[in-house]
Amino acid sequence: MTWVGKPLKRIEDEALLRGRGRFIDDMDPVPGAYHAAVVRSLYASALITGIDTSAALASPGVLGVVTGRDVADMTKPFPAAIDTPVAYMAAAVDEVRYAGEPVAVVVARDRYLAEDAAEKVVVDYERRTPLLTPLDALESGSVASDRSFVYGDPVERLSEADLVVRHSFTFPRWTGAPMECFGVVADWSPGEEALTVWTNFQGPFTLHTVAAAALGLTRSKLRLITPEDSGGSFGVKAGVYAYVVLMGAVSRKLGVPVRWIEDRLEHLAASGASTERVTEITAGFTSSGELISLHYDNVEDVGAYVRAPEPATLYRMHGSLNGGYKVRDISARNRVVLTNRCPTGLNRGFGGPQLYFALEGTMAIAAARLGIDPAVVARRNLVEADEFPYTTPSGAIYDSGDYPACLDDVLTVSGYADRRHMQADARKEGRWVGIGIACVVEPSVSNMGYISLAATPDERAASLPKSGNTEGATIAMSPTGGVVVQISTTPQGQGHRTVASQVVADRLGLEPGDIEVVSVLDTHVNAWSIASGNYSSRFAGIGSAAIAKAATELADAIKTLAADELECSVEDVELRGGKAVVKGAPDAAVSLRRIAGRAHWNAESLPAGVSPGLRFTSFVSAPNLAAAADDDTIASSAAHGFVADVAVVEVDRDTGSVTILDYTSTHDAGTLLNPRLVEGQISGGFVHGAGVALLERLVYDEDGNLITSSFMDYLCMTATEVPPLRSSHIETPSPFTALGAKGLGEGNTMSTPVAIANAVRDALGIEKVELPLTPPRVWELLEAMP
């Protein structure tokens, strides 16, 4: 019996369903902590000409007010991956660059008093005209980075093309909108010159180093502790590190522990969001639909500052510029621009939705112009099963897969041929039905060095190379045989604890319910690395590998002790049913409880090679993740899944509303560790992607104020709006991960927006569409049609 691969129910859910979850606002780690309220800029671009805090300081219960100047005196600008013309601080000093930027922090006995006093802080501004779109920023020269890449000879190949598609695609800002917003409890220790922070931070823990540097601390002097539970993130909570620094500075200045819990308005306006990207694509095709040349011209809006880990969104997918296709001649120009909007950060699938909206949109446009079914065009270009491992022009190593089989599967499951007949019949009736296809490669376990592509080879040579992705885990057996596992992947609701218990149970011959998994992360206690955290779907590939390695080391020690006890060879011992048993002799057995007792209580009796106390910490590094090469190639991720989608939509010609009639998705994510959790991840990614396709967008007025500042205006899909979804699977295990698993939590967020957009293109017979496809926008498209 093996537990990995079984659709077990989540062990996390019992506490959540009983209301016994422990989130950041449930924690009271420092009794008597004061409450903070942030004073934020009212304008997107302005000089600060004065701040009057006297009325706030005179308010009841107020301990103090800390201004941006005070914060600047105690901290340094945040380090960034690229040299930037604008330094990013935890609070504004002399000027503000986006509406909602922190200007001061008021600290009082309780939150209500702090918020009341914050309204009495008077800030004098000298307003300026803001830059609010990527193209406006580009035209004004607000460019932080400009890099070009060439692989092969795309110009020559373009000259050989029978069809050239030139098209501009804009992917809008949208966010994760987790149920739980940011939270920070900061406690400065003046004697130790150290800071302890409790926060719902998700990593990547490279940002721990960024925060420590901004505070002027060595890494050991900044201690981060995460709560047991976190109400979602989808990437956005990586940005809480900026408030770790801000509240840390406030705690230091006022000499008291400080507590800050973000509200929804603050979160939507000032926490972070995905980048907005404008991509101009030039693609060359043969008359039969073969893609032979591809050029991207990307303009990436990262907001008011280049906030770490940006420009990660622009470069995370760099190894996959070809998507799932065999095109070898590719070039790209990447420009990072600054606008007067909230700094961006990670959002589910970061980089993938932007890349595939342009690439898969181009494939659909080319198919329509050539008069070839888009499924035929996709199939003609996909990497074949016998070509794996497949190295892309820009350096990614696609580990395994059968992309054509995935496409064939989704066409079969969706009834694609019948859907085309149904579409023809609907058009005869005057109904506008469209079918869209998307084929995407889903990278997981990011190379920590991909971000260095933002620097030139000469600039990279002057600094320490960056590469790899490492995860750690600790497992211990108590004197009575209990097993506890500590993980460092900061789960945000995915079910890491459940899968960890399955992996460990298999190796120790126990049941998952016998394993206690601790998801709290303490940077002073856990086994973690700068790569640790919750991003790029890395748990299945590298998090589970670290757990498996630690569990195997514990199992080996148990077998050694059992062999000594049972007077047999180690190779003859197997673990099952809570016992160590001699193979072929079931009566020759010893309980794990007895073995554990001996290891802890009778250290002098231990055989050679077994240390007292059964505790093991293991680290695993993903293979093939070298530093960026001098030719700007890089294996940007360790594992690569594949997703093929078919979307069927109907457009109401009177209202412009888009209805998803059917949606089918086939995944190849290697070995499925827990099929029940897999379906949950696919559903979540699908809803997230459908949200940006149909509803979600952060909208600003002409002065840079956020209009969509509540869930009345920023519309997320709820249970009643979720369209139908069918999913199926093909499993080609990865040769590069310990359990053969690849990530799959982000694939549909990458594929769904463009699949729906392509379906609308098909329904209306047009090429230019803009997300989200809200009824007013689609209605305008209909009105513009001849």
Side-chain angles (χ1 to χ4, degrees), residues 365-675:
I365 291 169
R369 291 189 189 180
L370 291 168
I372 304 174
D373 190 287
V376 174
V377 173
R379 179 64 178 80
R380 192 159 288 160
N381 286 282
L382 288 173
V383 176
E384 299 290 343
D386 61 1
E387 295 180 282
F388 291 93
Y390 182 85
T391 301
T392 71
S394 47
I397 303 174
Y398 291 175
D399 42 334
S400 66
D402 191 338
Y403 297 176
C406 281
L407 177 58
D408 292 343
D409 183 82
V410 79
L411 296 178
T412 300
V413 175
S414 67
Y416 184 76
D418 292 338
R419 291 290 181 181
R420 284 295 182 195
H421 292 306
M422 180 271 286
Q423 178 186 34
D425 292 340
R427 286 181 174 174
K428 292 177 184 177
E429 299 170 2
R431 295 167 54 211
W432 294 22
V433 173
I435 303 173
I437 289 176
C439 295
V440 311
V441 173
E442 179 183 3
S444 54
V445 192
S446 294
N447 185 340
M448 298 306 291
Y450 74 80
I451 192 64
S452 65
L453 285 175
T456 67
D458 289 342
E459 290 169 338
R460 295 198 297 266
S463 61
L464 182 69
K466 297 177 177 63
S467 66
N469 191 295
T470 301
E471 188 53 86
T474 298
I475 187 168
M477 180 172 276
S478 73
T480 57
V483 179
V484 178
V485 182
Q486 286 181 302
I487 60 176
S488 301
T489 53
T490 58
Q492 309 285 317
Q494 299 92 331
H496 291 188
R497 290 174 56 208
T498 299
V499 175
S501 71
Q502 292 175 260
V503 171
V504 174
D506 275 349
R507 279 150 183 78
L508 299 183
L510 298 171
E511 295 191 3
D514 299 327
I515 314 299
E516 181 70 23
V517 183
V518 180
S519 59
V520 173
L521 187 138
D522 184 334
T523 55
H524 275 22
V525 175
N526 287 67
W528 63 283
S529 81
I530 60 167
S532 290
N534 189 336
Y535 62 102
S536 78
S537 297
R538 59 190 295 278
F539 176 79
I542 194 70
S544 65
I547 294 164
K549 184 180 178 183
T552 299
E553 291 176 355
L554 174 57
D556 289 344
I558 292 171
K559 290 178 182 178
T560 299
L561 285 168
D564 183 66
E565 189 97 358
L566 298 170
E567 299 181 344
C568 66
S569 67
V570 173
E571 292 74 18
D572 288 335
V573 177
E574 62 181 2
L575 306 180
R576 54 186 171 88
K579 298 179 181 180
V581 181
V582 177
K583 297 176 184 176
D587 292 334
V590 60
S591 71
L592 298 193
R593 180 185 180 96
R594 177 179 173 82
I595 290 173
R598 179 182 174 188
H600 285 276
W601 289 98
N602 194 7
E604 289 301 315
S605 73
L606 300 182
V610 177
S611 300
L614 296 174
R615 183 182 181 88
F616 297 87
T617 293
S618 296
F619 285 89
V620 174
S621 290
N624 307 317
L625 299 183
D630 289 342
D631 62 355
D632 284 327
T633 57
I634 191 167
S636 45
S637 292
H640 298 81
F642 187 74
V643 185
D645 289 0
V646 173
V648 183
V649 308
E650 181 169 357
V651 179
D652 188 305
R653 61 191 309 164
D654 295 322
T655 65
S657 64
V658 177
T659 301
I660 298 178
L661 302 178
D662 186 71
Y663 200 101
T664 311
S665 185
T666 294
H667 289 248
D668 182 353
T671 302
L672 303 183
L673 303 182
N674 183 318

Side-chain angles (χ1 to χ4, degrees), residues 4 37 55 115 123 167 207 216 272 291 300 350 357 432 515 522 583 594 629 697 731 733 748 756 778:
V4 168
E115 290 184 352
V123 184
H167 196 81
L207 300 177
L291 175 61
E300 186 95 334
F350 64 106
F357 186 68
W432 294 22
I515 314 299
D522 184 334
K583 297 176 184 176
R594 177 179 173 82
R697 189 189 189 193
E731 294 186 52
N748 281 112
I756 293 174
V778 177

Side-chain angles (χ1 to χ4, degrees), residues 38-52 68 91-104 118-119 121-129 705:
V38 180
V39 180
R40 298 181 181 275
S41 170
L42 301 176
Y43 305 107
S45 181
L47 296 176
I48 298 174
T49 58
I51 298 180
D52 184 356
V93 182
D94 297 318
E95 61 178 307
V96 293
R97 295 182 57 83
Y98 65 95
E101 183 170 10
V103 174
E119 295 179 357
V121 175
V122 179
V123 184
D124 296 322
Y125 297 99
E126 182 181 314
R127 295 175 61 183
R128 299 181 298 188
T129 302
N705 298 304

